Amino acid sequence: MSTIPAAPFTARDYRARMDRAVRAAAESGLAGLLIAPGPDMAHLTGYRPPADTERLTLLVLTPGQDPVLVVPALEAHDAAAAAGADALTLRDWKDGVDPYSLTAPLLDARGRFGVSDNTWALHLLGLQRKLPGITCAALSDVLPMLRAVKDVAELERLAAAGAAADATYEEILGVRFAGRRESEVAADLDALLRKHGHSQVDFTIVGSGPNGADPHHEAGERVIGDGDMVVLDFGGLKDGYGSDTTRTVHVGAPSAEEQRVHDVVREAQQAAFEAVRPGIACQEVDRVARAVITRAGYGEWFIHRTGHGIGVTTHEPPYMVEGEERPLVPGMCFSIEPGIYLPERFGVRIEDIVTVTEDGGRRLNNTARELAVVG
């Protein structure tokens, strides 16, 4: 498959996103948005500064003002080179200068602001010392769908990331599992994802035998043996957008019980996919998958939500979980990943990324969902 990078987003693309964000903030009664380094900033500007620095970097979005990026002087060159830099104003500050005094005049002194979830408390408290009248709310509370609906170019990148993950799965079926450590198979997954164009690998879960009953098992030194069920969950970023897929394989022929559990999970995953359409609540996708597993007698061993959104990160809103009543909208992208986890025995999970279309859903992962037998 091709690993040619996608065409870059332009300053115009990023300005359109920032303008939409400002409109959404105003419609929610906010005076503006304060965006810290992380996925929100990457989505809105194309800039990915270090997220672990104690120096203030902050994108300020307010109605009636051009976007302003407050940035340390030693990072200003990199910020100016970002794709969205021409769509905003840079204000840099040098060590020894109070960045909160520089930022405060940009804000309504009595306004309510949406703030990126990952904003350092150090920075938020620094602003509140200068502007004690402001109030803040987490973006996940006030604008949880900020990045949820993808445009055509974003969908193309997500589809390419999904295809790269599919190619990785097809190749991993040809490697030896029996007699090798989980960590060795995980390393194979990492290498294959990079081979197929991923610039970042976020996770390579390899859960063999009883380790498969832990949904977030870290690949370890357990040696995979004949008769093991093996959960493979892997993904990362390709051209800035995420992949995430899970398939469960078996070393040698499975038992009747193992095959039945896999069949139940596959049925649940298919039913949830068929339920996807505009207008239904996110929680309905979860309910459909859960109902299949519960009817089969395994309900107590389906211990996580059915899905999560994906975009510039591999986990973001919307979430397919009980209590999430927001409706599905064309352009939303999320995982459908039911599972059954039998403690101390084995686990099964099947996961595809799905996007909502005008009349249903489209899978971005298209490898076989039947239980594959490996050697």
Side-chain angles (χ1 to χ4, degrees), residues 4 11 14 19 28 89 104 118 173 181 191 205 207 215 290 320 337:
I4 298 172
Y14 288 116
D19 288 345
S28 297
T89 298
N118 57 320
L173 292 178
R181 294 180 177 87
I205 293 173
R290 205 165 297 278
M320 306 302 112
E337 50 178 307

Side-chain angles (χ1 to χ4, degrees), residues 8-11 14 45-48 69 71 75-88 90:
F9 295 121
T10 66
Y14 288 116
T45 71
Y47 182 41
R48 295 177 180 267
L69 180 62
V71 62
E75 303 287 349
H77 180 271
D78 289 342
D86 289 343
L88 50 78
L90 283 177

Side-chain angles (χ1 to χ4, degrees), residues 246-258:
T246 307
R247 293 293 184 263
T248 303
V249 301
H250 198 276
V251 183
S255 69
E257 180 190 23
E258 289 169 329

Side-chain angles (χ1 to χ4, degrees), residues 331-347:
M332 284 183 173
C333 294
F334 51 86
S335 66
I336 297 179
E337 50 178 307
I340 294 173
Y341 308 94
L342 303 180
E344 307 302 325
R345 300 185 63 206
F346 64 89

